[in-house]
Amino acid sequence: MQGVLGAFREIDATCDAITELRKKNFSEITVFTPTPRHEFEHALEPPHSKVRVFTLIGGLAGLTFGYWIPIWISDYWPIVVGGKPVASWVPYTIIGFELMVLIGSLSTVFGMFALARIPRLTMTVGYDPRFSHGDYGIWVVAAPDRASEAADLLRQHGAVEVRNER
Amino acid sequence: MATLVQPRPGDDVPRPNIPSANNRLPAIADYEQVDRDIIATLGPTLGWFAALGLAILCLLIGASAWTYQIYEGLGAAGYHPPVMWGVYIVTFVFWVGIGHAGTLISAILYLFRAGFRTTIYRVSEAMTVFAVMTAGLFPILHLGRPWKFFYLIPYPNWRLIWPNPKSPLVWDVFAILTYLTVSATFFYVGLIPDIAVLRDHETNPVRKRIYAMLSLGWRNSEHEWRHFTRAYLFLAAFATPLVLSVHSVVSFDFAMALTPGWHATVFPPYFVAGAIFSGIGMVFTICIPLRKVFHLEHIITINDLDAAAKLCLFTSMVVGLAYLSEFQVAWMSGNQFEQEYFWNRVFGQWAWAAWIMLICNCVLPLSLFSQKLRRNTTWLFMISITINIGMWFERFVIVVPSLSHEFEPWQWGGYHPTWVDYSILLGSFGWFFMWFLLFIKQLPVMAIAEVKEIVPPRLRRPADHSHDIDIGYPDSAITLEDRL
Amino acid sequence: MSNDTGSPGVKRRDFLKVLGAAGATVGTVGCSSEKVGKLIPYLVSPDETVSGVSTYYATTCRECSAGCGIIAETRDGRTTKLEGNPEHPLNRGALCSRGQSAVQGLYNPDRFRGPMVKENGAWKAIEWDAALTLLNQKLAAARGTATNAVFLNQHESGSFPAFLDAWLAGYGMRPHLSVDFESDSAAIEANRRSYGVAWPRLSFGDAKLIVSFGADFLETWGASVPQQLDFADARAKLDGAPRFVYVGPRRSLTGLSADQWIACKPGSELAIANALTGKTSIADAAQQSGVSAATLQRLQQEIASAKPVMALAGTRGANALDVALAVAALNQANGAVGSTIRPAEAMTGFEGISRFGEVAAAVERMRSGAVPIAFVRGVNPAYSLPASARFADAFGKVPFKVSFSMYPDETTELCDLVLPDLHSLESWGDAEAARGLVSLQQPAMDPVFAGTRATADVLIQVALKEPANAARYPQKDYRSWLIQRFPGGMGAFTSTLVKGVGAGTVATRTAPAAATTTLAASTPIDSTKGDFYLVVYPSPVLGDGRGANKPWLQELPDPVSKVLWSSWVEIHPETAYRLGIDRGDIIEVSTAAGKVRAPAYLYLGIRPDTVAVALGQGHSSVAKLDQFEPKHTDPNVVQWGYGRYARNIGARAQDLLGIAGDAAGGLALVSTRASISKTGDREDLISTEGSARQHGRGIAQAIPLSELGRSPRGDENGVAAIAAEGDAKAPKEGEEHIPGEPPTAFLPGLRSPVAADAQGELGSPTSADRGKNKGMYAPDHWSGMAERRWAMTIDLARCTGCSACVTACYAENNIPTVGAPWQNATIWADAKAGFNIVRGREMNWIRLERYFEGADDAKFTEDFEARFVPMLCQHCGNAPCEPVCPVYATYHAPDGLNVQVYNRCVGTRYCSNNCPYKVRYFNWFGYGEPDRKQYAFPSPLDWQLNPDVTVRQKGVMEKCSFCVQRIREAETRAKTEGRALAADEFTTACAQACPSRAITFGDAADGNWTVAKQVGDRRGYHVFDELNTFTAVVYLKKVNHSEPAAPAKA
């Protein structure tokens, strides 16, 4: 996989470049930014994150388990304390809630990892330390024949540096 | 939360409050400066080593006291039946409470979009994790047979015996473990992009390698950011009810008992408010020296502290209301046990503790109504110390006097902690600050990415603030105070 | 879930549940984590010994002069517990604390291991033969002046005194002195003169009015247990029960049971008694005694109206004999003799006690140097005699002094030769319970220390060394000597041994020597100097001090002051506040004879012009010994000063006494005035008393007889009928508090094992588990446990607060004593006697709470009331302690017990926090771990431990188990005998011991048990029943007999 990497100083320039690239049907664009900015969402119009699904499933699973385990415990060894019913569900709500939160959040994190493809072992192509520092970057996947076109496009939108990578 | 206060002309207040939601860092020029200033705080110094050494010394004192107590038996501590719970449970609740402010600031205020949290939340979140780690020790530490603590943990075992899910102490096990896990996760997830920053800056190969591993190969791609922000939002959404539930559960340890002074429905909200109150106090205790030592006054601005001080004042008044309602309930209950207990609390053998509590938690914080004092860091620091003391005594007043003055007059008693209790209390502070000191020199004390969010990005075209809230003064109007 | 497997028979799961439910079984079987010692099985078991099964020996108690019958439970050759002998006419199965503590005398770790001799000041062990030879030489040397020899023997009835006198006569010595420093010589003398016997039987039941002039018949005055039994039975009649008036400067434990207290000046009892008999006028009696004339007037009328009265005199003053005679006259005048005072059924235990005067005379003889040789057995004059008797100095003048004592006491330390005696539980003997009624004493086990020998046998062995004497002892040991003289011989002897008592007399002592009292007629108390009257009295717990070396008794709070492991000075709050003295301030009491320093205890029951100090503490040694030597493990270190538990504890009240005597030659304990001064230092009074007031919380409830009214149904309190119709009676709001009406609200909770079940389906609001799987809680479960509800009633109208139940519980349940100076932590912890008690860490599973009513402003008044409440685990149906335990260490057994599983307990102590009754106790230290300095059972005290009960580990919670080991034992016995458990077949240790029969235990769900009938009593109430705990312990209100004229007080 090869393409062109462009580094920008200013955010609006980056956004313009993105819009332009998409006009030119460069489909695979990766934007690097030190901090999440809404400008890029406007420019890229990405789909909604799927993390919420993991959250929902995890939460429900946790809740169910959190009710089931104490009820099972009580029934497994039915001895009376304080004259209360052997399986008294009301207080078990607490355990249910706690486990919902626990498993819900863990699965959320898992979902994020899965969707964001981390942890990753290599930086692969098209990363530059400055992107965590202050600059923005655009990595465009481009066949060799269109590489120069992309490079020019980035430059004219004010990329401070453009380089081909493979 | 914070409201817009327009000073009258000629007001001697240096500058008006700003709406916290629109927090600004005029002293920060660009992203690079954020990195520079925050990374500058890393790297150990002599003073740091000294502090760390002191913390570890305290920890060792506590640890040896505990070892001795395990050998000798709990009698080595100052227990005086009927006071069967003492300093350890008091300190347990104290540390759990401390933890809560962290989650409140990082999660709840995040949902409320309270901007002033941005610069202090990383510190408070670290505080949360370490405070809960500290608190988690005490339930084990106060056991008669600590080596059997695993009896409380529900796991399939050959004894075929399980803990009693009706017991508030088992709820504690679930609540505290959940809280520890979730807040630690939340803390780490927030750290990932910042560690990536450190990774990219680090020159020392070993450290670079470690940072690289911890950052999980974060690339700052917009794709990652998208899922990251989503996940972060949901975590916050979980942490918010969690923080409320955990201290409610802790309060159940008392509220579920018959004991006069414990058996009250007001406890959950009362405890949560108290927890947040004490936590904010601890945040001040930590942040004010921190921003001095690390020269971060221009990032943790006086405005942030001001806003936090308002939160502190608010919770202080909630706590005060809870105290009053306790007395009012006892008074109107017509329940002789309750009434005699509360009388004994404020005018009886425990008056001294009760009044320390009332003065530190309800009277002194009222000074924060004055904006001058809110913006006076020295005063805030002093207040924060008294709050910590006051809140420790609040828990003392709840635990000890209630037990010492129960239903059975023949069994009324007193309580005298011994050197063992005090050493372990000291040790808990040593343990907490050891972790905290290790943290501040290895990891960024501020969420770099989030600080960058509130720094205006570089633009080719001239900036337009049309989407900002107009706060009636130009950015250029930066006073000396903001720089320092 | 468990019973869905189709397989027949006991299912594994149910079996496990049985184990789980029988908590104590788990506690016992399930071991602690300590390593198991060497186990040696019996290959050939000794006769009448089955390993693990108890053998019971009927024998006689020697702890005081009364001579009650006891049964020694012996397991695998070790006596573990003493209980009253039901067959015995005196104590009829009851036993006091001191009697039960005899086992701790038997197993006392400080007992002599063998004979010792003092060679130029240093003690060294010696062989028996050598010792006997030495003694023989000395006896031979003393031949000439032998008539002056002195033998001081502990007073015993029975044949040993005769045997001893005969032995002494063999050497030409005069009869021995039979010493009992507690005995009231004046009362005995008066009895002898007025009724012809030393101690008539007191039939409280026949009295309409009891007037006691300082006679503490529930404590140390006479045979306390039989007297207490009669007294309690009499009072339990409620209607027609005798009213009880106590006259005296200090309100003793007996006085606290009285309905009225007349606080007269010490010594003025005579005036009152004379006034009542009409000899003198009420007016000047009132003037002398400081009591209002009106009160005396009313008392006089009451005596006149209520016949028969019972008047008792036990004033230990200089005029005691005159008082006793005047009181006897009062009795004779009011038809008491023969009805309430019964000379015919005399208690012979008090015959032949030597007077203090004779002892004093002997001491003077020693001082004069005339005494060639002296013997001491079972008494401790060096401690017990007043300091002014200067015994040590006189004793030192005797060339050769032999002690037969078991313990290293003060007197023994002064002797030259120790020939340690066997304990009464190791040796043969007999006592005369009543005239013509022999009560045998037999060994319940082999001697604990092989090096000790019975004195009687030793005497014979000595005699055999001398041909002249040898002839007089055909039998080679005392047992055969007894049997040979026993009426009916061997056959009768063995048959009598079974029951312990039988008709006949073995040998009667030679008539006691005439009272040769050398005592100077003592000065009247008012002419002595000092601004307070001084009352010195024998402690109800430690007696004259002989109990001080037994940790159970040291740990038993004094029934009145609730002080333990210490001495105290009783002073009235009014006086104390005037002098700026507060509870715990160390004050110095000084008389002409000496000084005593002790903390002040502010007591309502003492005249403002009087202070009181109890005898019993303040043992000390000449040898310098470390009080706090960690574990006292070295047997070669002789623990002089009456042992590790007694040495340097408290102060010695005898130091305050002059050798003033009464006309009968007895020692006058109330003979002088004293002055007190504040020393400035103070200490936390070592006491188990939290608040002495109930603050209106209705823990100890009382009801005046007038309000009680007659029972609507003919029988005593109409309980049977109520129990029968209990279900029918729906609980109406608050009705259970209406006097005369039976309580009903809590009865359902008592009829079903799980109180919640009475509320339907284990209390489940949704009854999720209706019908299915209630496991062992299902009434039809094969174990049948759920049919029972173990419960207890405690009748406060009977309870006198004597605390015998507390000691019984210590003995039965291996409860550690925690007050010894070395039982505190090690590092930076003060090694002070009673430290753990001051910290409220005492372990008494059953405690006696003593609440005062009235006299709320600390002003002096005679009109206040004390209420005693035995407080133990209430075994609640809805127990607050259970749901809070995170590990199910405490839970509700199907038969209604609130069970504590020690192995499961991790020690969160939440259960105790949530217990409204505060009856759970925590093992703060390793009291049960032999390698710790806090170890509560230094060998051989651990031989006493009950094998059926776990010794608890450090860090676990413990509490009353309703003696679950006894329950299971009885159930198992019934099962093996293939029968159902019979009603009242067994009972708990506390109920068994109670000398007032106040405690009743049983199955409240089964109408045949007494307890099931009593729970319906109209005096019944639950402590804190508003907490809805459905307790299994029902208290029956105390009944107050108000003054006829005065308004009723409750």
Side-chain angles (χ1 to χ4, degrees), chain C residues 564-615:
Chain C
L564 54 162
W565 287 100
S566 168
S567 291
W568 68 97
V569 179
E570 282 174 11
I571 180 169
H572 194 279
E574 192 179 325
T575 324
Y577 295 148
R578 182 163 53 75
L579 300 175
I581 295 172
D582 204 346
R583 176 190 171 96
D585 287 345
I586 310 285
I587 56 180
E588 183 171 85
V589 183
S590 49
T591 66
K595 303 178 173 355
V596 156
R597 290 161 59 97
Y601 170 69
L602 277 49
Y603 180 39
L604 292 169
I606 190 164
R607 283 178 59 89
D609 59 1
T610 309
V611 293
V613 187
L615 296 170

Side-chain angles (χ1 to χ4, degrees), chain B residues 30-54:
Chain B
D30 54 8
Y31 291 175
E32 285 76 2
Q33 187 191 349
V34 176
D35 289 2
R36 269 200 314 280
D37 293 353
I38 294 177
I39 291 169
T41 64
L42 301 179
T45 64
L46 208 59
W48 178 78
F49 277 116
L52 186 63
L54 183 63

Side-chain angles (χ1 to χ4, degrees), chain B residues 68 70-82 84-85 142-145 147-148 151-152 159-170 252-254 256-259 262 336-337 340 403 405-412 416 418-419, chain C residues 12 562 688-691 693-697 699 825-828 838-841 847 849-851 871 880 883-888 902-910 912-914 916-918 922 924-925 932 934 953-956 1024 1026-1027:
Chain B
Y68 168 66
I70 291 175
Y71 162 75
E72 190 79 278
L74 270 188
Y79 290 106
H80 183 155
M84 289 281 192
W85 285 356
H142 98 120
L143 288 183
R145 303 200 294 173
W147 52 94
K148 297 264 191 239
Y151 281 7
L152 275 78
R159 302 185 306 278
L160 301 178
I161 310 179
W162 292 73
N164 170 10
K166 296 187 196 74
S167 165
L169 295 181
V170 171
F252 288 160
D253 291 353
F254 307 104
M256 291 287 157
L258 288 169
T259 313
W262 285 9
Q336 178 196 15
F337 304 118
E340 285 181 11
L403 291 174
H405 199 85
E406 261 199 66
F407 296 95
E408 259 278 346
W410 191 257
Q411 290 296 83
W412 285 348
H416 319 278
T418 64
W419 64 272
Chain C
R12 174 188 138 280
K562 294 295 168 185
T688 59
E689 174 182 69
S691 164
R693 300 285 181 168
Q694 305 191 59
H695 301 260
R697 298 185 175 197
I699 296 158
T826 316
I827 301 177
W828 295 325
V838 172
R839 280 289 169 96
R841 295 170 179 178
R847 62 173 182 263
E849 303 182 347
R850 188 257 300 108
Y851 289 115
M871 182 55 69
V884 297
C885 176
V887 292
Y888 281 127
Y902 306 129
N903 295 335
R904 187 63 180 157
C905 178
V906 296
T908 67
R909 309 185 297 293
Y910 198 170
S912 172
N913 288 347
N914 209 23
Y917 308 93
K918 288 281 163 277
F922 189 72
W924 297 105
F925 294 110
R932 297 184 168 275
Q934 294 97 350
Q953 193 190 4
K954 173 184 73 183
V956 303
F1024 302 141
E1026 66 270 33
L1027 297 178

Side-chain angles (χ1 to χ4, degrees), chain A residues 51-52 55-56 59 97-98 100-102 104-106 108-109, chain B residues 103-113 117 125 178-179 182-183 186 189 228-245:
Chain A
V51 172
R52 57 178 76 179
T55 312
L56 180 67
F97 173 83
E98 297 298 338
M100 174 188 79
V101 171
L102 180 62
S105 0
L106 291 181
T108 307
V109 174
Chain B
T103 321
L104 172 100
I105 291 173
S106 58
I108 301 183
L109 297 189
Y110 176 77
L111 297 182
F112 283 136
R113 298 273 183 275
R117 74 176 267 284
E125 218 173 10
T178 304
Y179 191 43
V182 171
S183 51
F186 199 44
V189 168
F228 175 88
T229 43
R230 268 283 161 235
Y232 200 79
L233 178 68
F234 288 128
L235 281 181
F238 267 135
T240 302
L242 177 62
V243 69
L244 301 183
S245 81

